[in-house]
Amino acid sequence: MSLDGTSVAVVGSGFGGLSTACYLADTGADVTVLEQNEQVGGRASTLRRDGFRFDMGPSWYLMPDVFERFFGHFDREPADYYDLQRLDPHYRIFFKDDQRPAADGGAVASAAADAVAPTERGEAPGFGSHNGARYVDMLPDLADNVATFEAIEPGAGDALREYLDTSATHYETAMEHFVYEDRPRLRDWIDLDVMRAAPIGLQLLGTMDDYVADYFESHKLRQIMQYTLVFLGGSPGNTPALYNMMSHVDFNMGVYYPQGADPSVETRRLLNDPEGEVGGLAAVVAAMTELGRTLGIDYEVDAEVTEIISRREGFELALADGSRPGFDLVVSDADYAHTEQDLLPEHARGYDADYWESRTYAPSAFLMYLGVEGDIEPLEHHTLVLPEEWDDHFAQIFDEPAWPDDPAYYVCAPSVTDDSVAPAGHSNLFVLVPIAPGLDDDADTRSRYREAVLEDLATNTGVDLRDRIVLEEQFSVSEFAERYNSMKGTALGMAHTLRQTALFRPPHRSKELDGLYFTGSYTTPGIGVPMCLISGEHTADAVRADQ
């Protein structure tokens, strides 16, 4: 249905908001995107300091088919805006127990069968070491990864192939029946297509922990198959087994880096990026904004919405600058809880404060954005540092919130791939430690944890940054709450637990106000950049269906 002449405000410019705006504008709506911060992109903001450029939020380009589908709707393709480089390796892993020193001072692995030194594992291509620090690479060639799995655990190579075959089937079925097609009500699931896909849906009833354990005994291999749960905001023990499909995304579809975007002057203003090529997830933000401008969307930055007011004819939005523009319809890409609890009067809220307090939230993060003198070998573009057992880390996120004693963490170093993100002779990286939302992150706590993480990085990768840092910015629970109005300072939103997946997530339509809609990670299909792109399509479909 055409929305010609219908005025729509999209509050927030994360990927869900940018996507919704494009779909609605393509149907004829007059769309205005209102972003409270100084640049579009939401959590995909960019930090620029002294010649360094950091993706502040998402940094993995996964599920390229979803981006192709999005741009294809508008008769375009990603290559019209940016180039894609497939990363090799996809990512590097340092297992902490592989770096354990022996009593005689030599670096040897533990006696566990899956921690045999690389020289004893044969010639599997995924193993390597640098200055005594051992690592395992996941590579673009599946046969290489099969060999690596087999070297760690006899029989695991065939198990990986079987696992990925199942994962691919689950991905294709889930995307068709449960992701691209929104099913917000229980009766939507009483459908012949859903019945045919029932074996896939039943995977919701188990956990990733149990599912992966059926294939692999090695704790290392289990961690490799489960690390993508961080992108979904969950743990192996609380995430439905259906999300084994993420391994198909990882191993079969590949990990990429967008670069070479050269947006127009006006889009650069909206990105707060005056010069140079744009790479990383900022390139995708630039592309979607550029597309939106060709569709007639107006974007306003530094435009904080302080209240959503329902009128007899549409809505009025109170902005921090005192203006009160009117619109026929409103879509909120702001934090769902913030929208309901802070922007709406009590009678217009679909959920009360108790509901939001009782949700399970995805982790927050302790982030250090670091500009470093010199190189950072052997860190790769994507690097994971994992403890021998990570159950305790997840417990300190979801069960007994505390700063993790032995953290699993992620290092993103785009300067390994893209020279433009750091000055000559320097490296660009950020270190991300998932932590519980709502933790106290005062200055003293951060300082102590900073030292602990940098020491851990030096011990387990051989890369000591402490005397080479020329630029440092931190971002944690407080900043997620302040910059993004994020509930409890979560970095991602609501976790994908069994009771918070599919129709159990908050709906795209307001439960109380006709004409108010929601998009983004709190809604279906959920967390992650590709999912937010699809969420925008679902929200736009709901708007069109209601007019």
Side-chain angles (χ1 to χ4, degrees):
M1 177 177 291
S2 173
L3 295 173
D4 286 350
T6 302
S7 61
V8 182
V10 176
V11 180
S13 66
F15 283 108
L18 294 175
S19 172
T20 307
C22 287
Y23 282 113
L24 291 178
D26 192 51
T27 316
D30 296 328
V31 180
T32 301
V33 175
L34 301 170
E35 168 57 51
Q36 72 170 3
N37 292 311
E38 77 289 347
Q39 58 179 288
V40 294
R43 283 174 170 79
S45 293
T46 303
L47 173 66
R48 298 167 186 83
R49 295 281 190 281
D50 302 334
F52 293 93
R53 180 188 289 118
F54 303 89
D55 277 332
M56 293 180 67
S59 57
W60 292 66
Y61 191 100
L62 301 167
M63 300 173 67
D65 56 323
V66 174
F67 296 89
E68 292 166 4
R69 184 177 185 273
F70 170 79
F71 286 106
H73 178 88
F74 307 97
D75 296 322
R76 291 168 175 82
E77 54 186 334
D80 294 332
Y81 300 97
Y82 53 83
D83 301 320
L84 283 179
Q85 179 174 343
R86 187 165 185 173
L87 298 182
D88 185 4
H90 286 168
Y91 51 93
R92 176 163 289 173
I93 307 170
F94 290 87
F95 292 103
K96 295 184 184 183
D97 52 319
D98 270 355
Q99 321 306 329
R100 189 172 299 150
D104 63 1
V108 299
S110 71
D114 61 348
V116 178
T119 54
E120 299 173 21
R121 290 164 164 166
E123 298 300 321
F127 299 123
S129 64
H130 182 81
N131 291 339
R134 297 168 181 157
Y135 55 80
V136 178
D137 286 343
M138 292 296 105
L139 301 166
D141 189 330
L142 177 58
D144 289 341
N145 297 323
V146 167
T148 297
F149 271 53
E150 184 67 26
I152 292 175
E153 177 186 315
D158 288 339
L160 176 62
R161 290 190 184 278
E162 180 184 350
Y163 186 102
L164 293 179
D165 285 345
T166 302
S167 175
T169 299
H170 287 186
Y171 180 85
E172 293 163 4
T173 304
M175 293 298 284
E176 179 182 356
H177 296 295
F178 309 122
V179 177
Y180 285 134
E181 186 169 351
D182 195 23
R183 299 177 184 275
R185 298 157 300 191
L186 183 59
R187 67 173 179 266
D188 297 326
W189 291 72
I190 305 173
D191 177 279
L192 184 59
D193 288 338
V194 174
M195 296 302 108
R196 293 193 182 105
I200 306 301
L202 290 174
Q203 292 293 339
L204 287 169
L205 301 180
T207 68
M208 278 294 295
D209 211 4
D210 292 337
Y211 184 86
V212 172
D214 288 340
Y215 287 84
F216 308 103
E217 294 184 9
S218 160
H219 79 268
K220 288 181 168 60
L221 298 185
R222 293 184 188 185
Q223 287 178 332
I224 292 171
M225 305 311 291
Q226 294 170 344
Y227 88 92
T228 50
L229 301 184
V230 172
F231 302 130
L232 301 171
S235 75
N238 70 13
T239 302
L242 175 65
Y243 290 103
N244 71 78
M245 68 180 184
M246 292 302 295
S247 292
H248 170 66
V249 171
D250 178 354
F251 286 89
N252 295 335
M253 302 180 76
V255 181
Y256 298 83
Y257 179 75
Q259 59 188 136
D262 187 15
S264 65
V265 172
E266 174 59 17
T267 296
R268 286 186 181 280
R269 182 188 69 82
L270 295 167
L271 294 169
N272 196 28
D273 188 353
E275 60 185 15
E277 290 188 347
V278 179
L281 270 292
V284 185
V285 174
M288 296 180 70
T289 305
E290 197 92 312
L291 169 63
R293 290 182 60 247
T294 67
L295 296 171
I297 298 171
D298 291 326
Y299 297 88
E300 298 181 18
V301 294
D302 295 314
E304 180 184 358
V305 175
T306 60
E307 188 177 3
I308 299 173
I309 305 158
S310 177
R311 299 299 189 197
R312 182 174 298 177
E313 298 295 333
F315 294 86
E316 191 174 275
L317 299 184
L319 303 187
D321 65 4
S323 62
R324 300 172 76 92
F327 298 90
D328 297 321
L329 305 171
V330 173
V331 176
S332 178
D333 185 42
D335 183 273
Y336 209 124
H338 165 70
T339 303
E340 288 222 319
Q341 297 297 299
D342 299 326
L343 304 186
L344 293 172
E346 187 171 356
H347 70 271
R349 300 170 187 168
Y351 301 95
D352 60 20
D354 289 343
Y355 171 86
W356 295 113
E357 284 295 328
S358 67
R359 297 304 89 187
T360 299
Y361 290 94
S364 184
F366 175 65
L367 278 152
M368 295 183 289
Y369 304 99
L370 305 173
V372 177
E373 188 174 9
D375 68 59
I376 51 175
E377 191 178 6
L379 299 182
E380 270 293 344
H381 190 123
H382 297 308
T383 299
L384 305 171
V385 183
L386 304 180
E388 182 172 1
E389 298 293 341
W390 60 7
D391 290 347
D392 290 344
H393 186 159
F394 284 115
Q396 290 182 299
I397 293 175
F398 292 102
D399 302 325
E400 299 177 1
W403 287 79
D405 298 314
D406 186 16
Y409 55 94
Y410 160 57
V411 181
C412 179
S415 56
V416 172
T417 304
D418 184 353
D419 292 338
S420 73
V421 299
H426 293 75
S427 298
N428 164 321
L429 70 151
F430 68 71
V431 182
L432 184 158
V433 184
I435 62 174
L439 288 182
D440 185 357
D441 60 346
D442 61 87
D444 287 344
T445 300
R446 290 193 192 205
S447 178
R448 288 194 300 271
Y449 211 68
R450 172 193 185 274
E451 295 303 316
V453 171
L454 291 177
E455 181 178 355
D456 192 278
L457 183 70
T459 299
N460 291 295
T461 70
V463 181
D464 195 338
L465 305 174
R466 286 170 287 192
D467 295 331
R468 299 190 285 138
I469 297 171
V470 298
L471 173 75
E472 179 174 355
E473 297 281 349
Q474 294 182 2
F475 202 93
S476 194
V477 178
S478 297
E479 286 81 7
F480 279 107
E482 292 165 4
R483 182 172 175 83
Y484 306 125
N485 298 304
S486 177
M487 182 70 174
K488 297 186 178 181
T490 171
L492 300 169
M494 282 173 51
H496 281 273
T497 63
L498 177 59
R499 296 183 179 182
Q500 294 179 176
T501 293
L503 76 164
F504 300 117
R505 297 183 79 78
H508 293 281
R509 295 175 174 90
S510 167
K511 296 175 70 173
E512 297 296 331
L513 290 181
D514 290 340
L516 173 63
Y517 300 84
F518 295 88
T519 190
S521 66
Y522 278 80
T523 65
T524 55
I527 286 172
V529 174
M531 297 298 105
C532 287
L533 291 185
I534 298 168
S535 172
E537 182 179 3
H538 290 337
T539 302
D541 286 344
V543 172
R544 288 193 296 265
D546 292 346
Q547 303 312 303

